[in-house]
Amino acid sequence: MPAKRRTAASTSKNSDSPLSPRTDDPAYQEKRKKNNEAVQRTREKTKKSAEERKKRIDELRKQNDTLKVQIEQGEKHISTLRDLIIQGEKTEDGHRIIQEILAGPDPNDND
């Protein structure tokens, strides 16, 4: 035979049991109020923490993109210098290119 189900009527009869607090008890109401406030603070703290993590992730992604661009520029410079060395040409244009690369990035250059 299946287990007997409890109904709302049968559980309401037991509301005076020592395990069920009375909802009209001021001490119980105060405990519930404090618990609700604590839950709210915890949720707000969790939300703030998630927002801060998301902001940090976005910052790191931007920084990563910037570093990737710098790597690409460095690789282009290396390739140019390697080509000039292999060619062995000591032209004025080659000398100018080497000086530009060694001087570093031009602040007006958006490449």
Side-chain angles (χ1 to χ4, degrees), residues 4 19 29 33 36-37 41 43-45 48 56 64 66-68 70 82 84 90-92 95 97 104-105 111:
K4 186 175 180 181
L19 298 177
Q29 289 176 348
K33 180 181 173 188
N36 290 341
E37 291 170 355
R41 283 192 307 270
R43 288 178 181 158
E44 288 172 3
K45 185 177 177 182
K48 182 180 177 184
R56 180 71 175 138
N64 196 23
T66 302
L67 291 171
K68 284 180 181 179
Q70 289 177 358
R82 184 178 292 128
L84 289 172
K90 295 188 178 187
T91 62
E92 193 63 35
H95 182 68
I97 292 171
D111 266 345

Side-chain angles (χ1 to χ4, degrees), residues 24-109:
D24 58 346
D25 180 18
Y28 173 76
Q29 289 176 348
E30 184 63 26
K31 283 182 181 182
R32 293 298 315 139
K33 180 181 173 188
K34 285 183 179 182
N35 180 261
N36 290 341
E37 291 170 355
V39 167
Q40 186 63 32
R41 283 192 307 270
T42 300
R43 288 178 181 158
E44 288 172 3
K45 185 177 177 182
T46 301
K47 184 178 178 181
K48 182 180 177 184
S49 175
E51 289 171 355
E52 289 173 355
R53 272 193 311 275
K54 185 183 182 308
K55 183 179 176 183
R56 180 71 175 138
I57 288 169
D58 291 342
E59 290 170 356
L60 289 172
R61 283 190 175 140
K62 287 178 185 177
Q63 183 181 8
N64 196 23
D65 291 341
T66 302
L67 291 171
K68 284 180 181 179
V69 168
Q70 289 177 358
I71 289 170
E72 288 175 13
Q73 289 175 344
E75 288 173 347
K76 286 178 185 177
H77 291 163
I78 290 170
S79 176
T80 302
L81 290 171
R82 184 178 292 128
D83 291 345
L84 289 172
I85 290 170
I86 290 171
Q87 290 173 2
E89 295 181 17
K90 295 188 178 187
T91 62
E92 193 63 35
D93 193 40
H95 182 68
R96 180 188 56 78
I97 292 171
I98 291 172
Q99 291 305 316
E100 286 177 6
I101 291 173
L102 294 177
D106 183 357
N108 297 325
D109 188 13

